[in-house]
Each structure stands twice: as C-alpha cells, then as structure tokens.
Amino acid sequence: MIWLSWRQFRLQACVAAVTLALFAAYLLYLGTDIRDAHASALTRCGRGGDCGQIMNQFQSGYQNTLLLLAAGLGLALALIGAFWGAPLVAREFEAGTHRLVWNQSVTRRRWFASRLAFTVLAGAITAGAAGALLTWAAAPVDEAAGNRFSTVLFGSRDLVPAAYAVFAVVFGAVVGLLVRRTLPAMAITLVGFLAFQFFVPNVIRSHLMAPQRTTLAMTAEAVNQARNLGNFSGDAVIGGITVPGRPDAWVSRTSPLLTADGDPLEKSAFNACLDDPPKTDTRGTFGDTAACLGGLGLHLEVDYHPGGRYWAFQWRETGLYLLLSGLLTAFGLWRVRRGPS
C-alpha cells in the first residue's frame, strides 16, 4: 500500500517540492534583507535618532509583504485540503478502482488509513517547513511590531501551520468519503476549511485560556493612542487599545466606553464629541475629539492575554486541530467499514 500510495501521489509531491524550494529561496532573500534593514535601524537608533519612529518605519516597510505571505500560506493550506485530501478517496470511488483493492487481501480500513497517513505526513512536512521559513524570515519585524497574536500572522508562524495542514487533508478525505465525487468534494473542502479558519481565530482562540481583565481610564492621551473610534452603528466604542506596560499583549475584548457609574456612554454624547468637539487645539490622532472624550471621566473594561502566553496558545491550538483530525479519522475509519461497496 505504501508503494501504491507513493505512485499515485508522486506528481503532487514533486509539485510541492518545487514550490517549497522556490518559496524557501525567496524567503532566504527576504529574511536576509529584513535583517540588514533591522541592523541599519538599530544603528540609527544608537546614533540618537527617534528610535520609535525609526522602528515604525522599519516594520511598515515589510508589513504588507509579510501579511500577503501569511495570507498566501493560509490559502495554500486550503488548497492542500482541496487538491490533496478531497480527491484522495473520492477519485477512487468515482473511478470504481476501490473495488479492485477491496477484493484483495487489503481491508477497507487499512486502505483508507494508509492512503490518509501518507498524504497527511506530506502535508504536515510541507506546511511545517513553509511556516518555519516564514517565521524565521519575519522574526525581526514580528519582534518590532509586537503583534504575534494577529489573526492572520498567528496562523502562519511556528507550530500551527503543520496542524492546519493535517486537519485540511483529513477533512478533505472525509468529505470525499461522504460525497464520493471529486469536484463537489474539492469545492466543499475549500469552502469548509476557509470557513473554519475564520471561525477558530475569531470565536474559539480567545477561549483556549482564561483572559486577564483590567480597567483603563480613557484620558485624552489614551484616546489618542487608539486606532479607531465608533462603528457603523454609531456606538460609543474604541478600537486598537493597548494595555499599558504590556505592548505585546493580545486584547481579546473591549467594552464600550463606560461612564464613572459603569453605564455605557450615550450615543448622543459620543457623537457630539466626534462631530462637534469644543476647540482646544489638542494635538494627536483625534485631537479635540480626544480632549472632549477625555473630559467625560470615561473608562474601558479590557480582557487581554499577556504576550508570554503566545507559545501556550500555539500548543493549545495545535492540539485542538490534531484532536479534530483524530476524531475525523476515527469517523472515516468507521464510515468506510460501514459504507456500501
């Protein structure tokens, strides 16, 4: 079965090897360039320049490139599930070749397990190597930016890409086992995996560990350090808050702006500061609006995870995906044994 699996998978393996080699060559170039730019930025800092501005310029110069690479890796994982996992079993059923194997001494479960194990291993190695290369290349920028918990970046660094690939292949194989047609199985796998990749970081990830909670006074200075004010509904909310003394912390939940009594700020008062604040010539991102809100005695309740929890989240999310992959594999082994010939 191993030799048969290799014979059927060798084209995909060759394509993956060539793609990974090209990706590695580009990341080696990019990583070297990033390290040269980082060393130059540190030198300018040591000469008495504005270090904060210098490091911001350094990270902004590579931010978009690294974001595109992270998003591209996420899409590649979805394609691994669709093009490696989904046809793995569906193509055999569609062509009827599964009957030839089942009429030999190979059992259905052994057939399914051997086909799945070979492809899962290939996917984990490919994704793990790509994630490790991207992690190495982006390390100086990630350190300067302090945003390793970012939704897109977190999923392209260190351990989790390999676990995502394992889940993508297993999910695709099980979908193919149930649908038994290659193209529908590929489409379902692609859409389902991408939906799951959106659901986990936005709904599940923050609950993998209990957050810490703090209260932040919303002075004019604190408001000016935020990234955005308000939303489409006109609610009294503020976004892009950092926890003082913990710039690398992941803020997972932010309450609306609260008054001294703990009640949400009225929309009318919030919009008055946004649309027609008193003229105070306050400088900063939001200027007079920040001064107006800062004078209302407001505060926020913030849930956050310290930056030191990064590796704990990596291990827990890796474990979550491997657990789900194991459950899907068990279901597939049960289904292939109970399913029709």
Side-chain angles (χ1 to χ4, degrees), residues 36-49 51 54-55:
D36 289 342
H38 187 236
S40 176
L42 292 177
T43 300
R44 283 184 289 153
C45 283
R47 291 174 180 171
C51 201
I54 291 172
M55 296 310 292

Side-chain angles (χ1 to χ4, degrees), residues 72-87 168 186 189-190 193-194:
L73 179 57
L75 178 59
L77 295 173
L79 294 177
I80 284 177
F83 285 90
W84 290 10
M186 292 173 67
T189 299
L190 185 63
F193 180 79
L194 290 175

Side-chain angles (χ1 to χ4, degrees), residues 146-159:
N147 63 343
R148 293 194 297 173
F149 285 102
S150 168
T151 300
V152 177
L153 298 185
F154 183 89
S156 64
R157 303 292 194 266
D158 298 303
L159 301 174

